[in-house]
Amino acid sequence: MNNEGDINSLSETGFSTRSSSTKKNKKTNELVWKQFVCFKASQTDENRSKKGALSGATINSRARGDVRTDCKARVSIVKQQTGLDWSVSIFVEGHNHELSTHSKVHLLRSHCNVSIAKRVLTQQLSEANIPTCQQMQLLEIEHGGPESVGCTERDIRNFEKELRDEQKGIDAETMIEFFTSEKEKNKAFFFDYETDSENRFIRCFWADSKSRMAYSVFGDVVVFDSTYNTNKYAMIFTPFVGVNHYHQTIVFGRGFLSDEKTESYIWLLNKFIEAMPTGAPKSIIIYQDPALTKALARVFPKTVHGYCL
């Protein structure tokens, strides 16, 4: 046996395994012994409840099937004193419970694994905003059924959570890096941002080349909506939009603000003028916000202001 991963191949198709206990060399701290047991090993739920009642401890119960049956099936492996090989020292084959059927074996925890290929595909699908349930449907079609996928929808959701956790704390840096790369690809891409005294991201504005070109043709009237709030980051999404000659909505620019103060709106409106080739619009329609109204009067003094219904 070359490595511990081979242990999974010892489990029958109808049961799951888990690591039970290990031993290490006291001098070198090297792992020298490990035991794997059936997932139904250990005391039964009934015995656990009885012992808890005798000791006076509160046992929290939930609606589920019997998980532990005190199954004795197990395998122990020990590392050879010389070399890297391992050998089986104890092997108990018999189970005291029925094994899972072939159609349900893919639901067993030790049989579930999100492979590297699936991780890459899941990340790409997530970036394309494809829901997890639809991702799972695509995998089932590709592999010929849910029992052949090798993981469950819950495993995919856990992996997506890992991806989100990795992004915590570096979201702003990631966005700025993306904007910088877009600027390198196309010099007409415009973006700017600001941080506070503690280097926290507080506002930004960006507009791509197509948006800036569209503004030069259809930028007479602009609608500025500051009512979109992104719950995850508590920041306000502020798009500048208009209408083209096909009566279709077009986006001239976008921004994020950490607050709705006049100072923030002034900064954003100035960046909008800086980015747009033809300057301020002739008319702008806004949400009835006193701070925004004050900012518009200072930045767009010659623009006709209107309130949306």
Side-chain angles (χ1 to χ4, degrees):
M1 185 177 298
N2 295 324
N3 56 61
E4 298 170 36
D6 293 337
I7 270 298
N8 288 331
S9 64
L10 294 176
S11 64
E12 296 289 342
T13 56
F15 70 96
S16 182
T17 60
R18 59 183 171 86
S19 176
S20 173
S21 55
T22 60
K23 290 181 181 179
K24 292 185 177 181
N25 187 307
K26 294 182 179 179
K27 294 181 179 179
T28 63
N29 200 37
E30 180 185 15
L31 185 68
V32 295
W33 181 86
K34 193 164 188 177
Q35 180 172 259
F36 295 86
V37 298
C38 174
F39 75 122
K40 288 182 176 289
S42 188
Q43 60 183 327
T44 64
D45 294 343
E46 182 180 356
N47 289 340
R48 179 172 171 270
S49 299
K50 288 179 180 178
K51 288 183 178 180
L54 291 174
S55 63
T58 302
I59 303 297
N60 294 323
S61 60
R62 56 180 176 175
R64 62 174 186 177
D66 290 335
V67 176
R68 303 292 171 85
T69 64
D70 200 21
C71 182
K72 301 300 183 182
R74 67 186 185 277
V75 59
S76 299
I77 57 174
V78 61
K79 191 176 185 299
Q80 299 297 314
Q81 293 183 356
T82 58
L84 301 175
D85 291 338
W86 293 70
S87 61
V88 176
S89 59
I90 299 174
F91 178 55
V92 179
E93 185 177 7
H95 295 265
N96 65 354
H97 57 87
E98 293 185 1
L99 302 183
S100 298
T101 61
H102 179 71
S103 62
K104 294 183 179 180
V105 71
H106 67 284
L107 300 175
L108 297 175
R109 183 177 298 178
S110 63
H111 289 61
C112 295
N113 175 49
V114 184
S115 64
I116 295 177
K118 291 189 183 71
R119 286 171 180 263
V120 173
L121 178 60
T122 296
Q123 188 168 1
Q124 293 172 339
L125 295 176
S126 297
E127 291 173 354
N129 293 323
I130 296 178
T132 308
C133 59
Q134 293 183 14
Q135 293 182 33
M136 198 63 197
Q137 290 173 4
L138 291 173
L139 290 173
E140 290 174 2
I141 294 172
E142 180 183 357
H143 291 83
E147 65 280 357
S148 302
V149 174
C151 61
T152 64
E153 184 175 328
R154 182 177 181 179
D155 298 319
I156 299 294
R157 291 187 185 278
N158 289 338
F159 173 66
E160 290 177 329
K161 183 179 182 301
E162 291 177 11
L163 292 177
R164 291 193 296 270
D165 290 342
E166 289 177 1
Q167 288 296 313
K168 286 182 179 179
I170 61 169
D171 304 61
E173 290 86 345
T174 302
M175 184 172 69
I176 293 168
E177 288 176 2
F178 172 75
F179 286 162
T180 302
S181 65
E182 290 298 303
K183 180 72 174 180
E184 292 173 353
K185 296 175 187 175
N186 190 340
K187 298 300 181 183
F189 183 88
F190 180 93
F191 82 96
D192 201 354
Y193 68 95
E194 272 196 351
T195 57
D196 61 13
S197 59
E198 298 180 5
N199 202 32
R200 292 178 300 186
F201 184 84
I202 56 173
R203 46 183 170 249
C204 74
F205 173 82
W206 75 97
D208 57 33
S209 58
K210 291 184 178 180
S211 296
R212 299 175 73 186
M213 187 180 299
Y215 181 81
S216 65
V217 180
F218 306 109
D220 292 344
V221 179
V222 173
V223 177
F224 178 69
D225 194 343
S226 60
T227 60
Y228 295 99
N229 189 288
T230 58
N231 296 325
K232 183 176 180 180
Y233 300 99
M235 296 191 77
I236 305 144
F237 178 60
T238 53
F240 294 83
V241 300
V243 178
N244 64 14
H245 55 302
Y246 292 112
H247 301 288
Q248 297 171 329
T249 299
I250 51 177
V251 181
F252 299 134
R254 311 145 186 90
F256 279 119
L257 297 176
S258 61
D259 58 59
E260 297 180 87
K261 297 179 180 178
T262 301
E263 173 191 357
S264 297
Y265 285 128
I266 289 176
W267 181 91
L268 186 65
L269 294 173
N270 279 323
K271 293 301 172 183
F272 177 77
I273 293 180
E274 185 180 343
M276 295 305 135
T278 55
K282 294 181 180 179
S283 179
I284 187 168
I285 301 172
I286 64 170
Y287 176 70
Q288 299 183 38
D289 185 334
L292 178 56
T293 301
K294 188 183 297 183
L296 282 172
R298 291 179 58 178
V299 183
F300 294 163
K302 296 182 180 180
T303 298
V304 177
H305 305 161
Y307 290 131
C308 63
L309 294 177

